[in-house]
Amino acid sequence: MPRQTTAPRFLRLPEVLQITGMGKTFIYDRMKEGTFPKQIQLGSRTVVWNEQEVTKWMEDRMASR
């Protein structure tokens, strides 16, 4: 059976905040610590996160409880 793959999807900050339920300061503090996926710079004023990395981070948090 063929494996289904989905195209990578970028998330802007408001989506990251909504999906994780966390605040902006929490996200940036965890990025600084190296415990949250780093943002990807697309332009001089545009940053995004990889949806799969954010989802994996959430799954890892749930698995570690």
Side-chain angles (χ1 to χ4, degrees), residues 6-63:
T6 57
R9 183 169 172 260
F10 290 144
L11 303 174
R12 301 294 296 267
L13 181 60
E15 287 180 286
V16 173
L17 300 179
Q18 181 181 21
I19 288 169
T20 63
M22 303 299 162
K24 184 175 168 180
T25 302
F26 177 91
I27 297 297
Y28 281 101
D29 285 348
R30 295 312 170 280
M31 282 178 24
K32 191 174 184 180
E33 294 172 359
T35 59
F36 190 81
K38 294 202 184 284
Q39 61 194 19
I40 301 163
Q41 189 86 32
L42 292 183
S44 62
R45 295 177 49 167
T46 305
V47 296
V48 295
W49 284 260
N50 179 301
E51 180 183 38
Q52 292 173 337
E53 291 175 1
V54 173
T55 300
K56 172 104 173 68
W57 177 84
M58 292 173 59
E59 290 169 348
D60 291 348
R61 300 295 73 73
M62 289 186 280

